[in-house]
Amino acid sequence: MGRQFFVGGNFKMNGTIKSIKEILDNLNKAKLDPNTEVVVAPPALYLLLAREHLREGLEVAAQNIFDKPSGAFTGEISADQLKDSGITWTILGHSERRVILKEDDEFVAAKTKAALDCGLGVILCCGESLEQREANKTIEVVTKQLKAVADKVKDWSKIVVAYEPIWAIGTGKVATTEQAQEVHKAIREWLAKEVSSEAAEKTRILYGGSVTEKNSGELAKQPDIDGFLVGGASLKPAFVDIINSNQA
Ligand code: PEP
């Protein structure tokens, strides 16, 4: 069986009760490709609102978790608490957290393990900076980020990898289909070698970085691109077209 197409919407630190309800209403009434798995990640404050407002079949993700189940960790949210609230996914390792909040590979891996141990799905982000790409270090950087997780986690069945080149995030500078496909293929080969042939065959690898309804159709045609993690465009009505881009 082929890999189910997956589209995630990362709202980042955007939105209000009103605007988030509008985005969710738009999704609720849209005709969405039934073969595509859809997950939206609003800011933590609006997770429960999203879960209550969104129709069945569309899932909600946190944008981050902490790696401990409970305790004196002011400002943090645990995987157990998400599960308790009906939130079934979390994004982890987003480059904005790696760069701005200085999260390292080990911490991202510890959080991935904590999420999986609780039964959550994980959208695991990886990606290189422009400087690293220009130094021909893309595959090295991305596989190092993934290896930290592989050292702690053997079962990758609830992990979706999101390849997000940092230079393409929020910049309007999308990777070419060739650039994206090349890295996705390399990630799949790495999974075959370092995790298992089953993980290589079944793990969805998403592309993220300035995806819009205008470029998603071409990207979706690439053999190793199994969907998208969408930032800015997930706040707009055309997010529906991105979700449906595998139908075209
Ligand atoms: C993201 O934040 O995961 C992302 C891909 O952002 P954008 O689509 O805005 O580049």
Side-chain angles (χ1 to χ4, degrees):
M1 223 185 76
R3 295 178 291 271
Q4 188 183 16
F5 205 71
F6 185 111
V7 177
N10 175 13
F11 297 178
K12 312 193 190 200
M13 199 176 72
N14 292 304
T16 59
I17 292 175
K18 185 170 177 283
S19 71
I20 288 176
K21 276 187 177 167
E22 279 165 14
I23 295 168
L24 304 176
D25 280 338
N26 191 49
L27 290 174
N28 284 342
K29 63 175 199 287
K31 196 166 180 301
L32 304 179
D33 181 349
N35 298 315
T36 292
E37 193 169 353
V38 179
V39 176
V40 293
L45 184 59
Y46 305 116
L47 284 167
L48 279 173
L49 168 91
R51 183 56 284 158
E52 279 160 18
H53 211 76
L54 207 52
R55 71 164 136 102
E56 216 179 296
L58 305 178
E59 295 294 317
V60 180
Q63 295 175 13
N64 182 39
I65 62 159
F66 197 55
D67 65 341
K68 305 287 186 297
S70 63
F73 304 106
T74 303
E76 297 296 329
I77 293 175
S78 73
D80 303 64
Q81 290 171 321
L82 292 177
K83 207 174 168 212
D84 180 49
S85 305
I87 311 303
T88 49
W89 285 87
T90 183
I91 297 173
L92 289 173
H94 193 282
S95 62
E96 285 151 15
R97 297 202 63 86
R98 290 182 189 265
V99 175
I100 304 167
L101 293 143
K102 310 276 181 276
E103 291 191 2
D104 64 15
D105 294 347
E106 296 309 311
F107 189 38
V108 173
K111 295 199 286 185
T112 303
K113 183 166 184 338
L116 296 172
D117 285 349
C118 234
L120 297 185
V122 174
I123 302 169
L124 174 64
C125 303
C126 60
E128 82 289 2
S129 65
L130 185 58
E131 202 184 14
Q132 290 163 333
R133 171 162 284 267
E134 284 172 349
N136 279 324
K137 290 199 166 143
T138 298
I139 308 299
E140 188 188 318
V141 169
V142 165
T143 54
K144 181 173 169 289
Q145 290 168 340
L146 297 177
K147 183 171 186 310
V149 173
D151 287 344
K152 286 192 167 59
V153 169
K154 299 298 157 218
D155 180 1
W156 281 55
S157 59
K158 294 196 89 168
I159 296 181
V160 172
V161 174
Y163 167 59
E164 300 205 308
I166 296 172
W167 48 270
I169 295 183
T171 57
K173 218 178 180 186
V174 67
T176 64
T177 48
E178 293 76 19
Q179 283 172 325
Q181 167 57 25
E182 186 191 10
V183 181
H184 283 229
K185 184 165 175 278
I187 291 173
R188 206 173 295 293
E189 286 166 0
W190 178 88
L191 283 168
K193 204 162 135 253
E194 301 293 331
V195 182
S196 65
S197 53
E198 192 188 8
E201 196 187 308
K202 294 191 174 159
T203 303
R204 271 89 56 90
I205 306 177
L206 317 180
Y207 168 77
S210 298
V211 173
T212 67
E213 74 285 6
K214 294 194 177 69
N215 54 38
S216 57
E218 272 312 302
L219 287 160
K221 285 187 194 136
Q222 300 302 306
D224 290 296
I225 297 182
D226 307 309
F228 304 112
L229 183 57
V230 184
S234 69
L235 301 166
K236 300 179 184 157
F239 185 46
V240 167
D241 300 321
I242 300 175
I243 291 171
N244 290 337
S245 59
N246 198 40
Q247 275 178 333

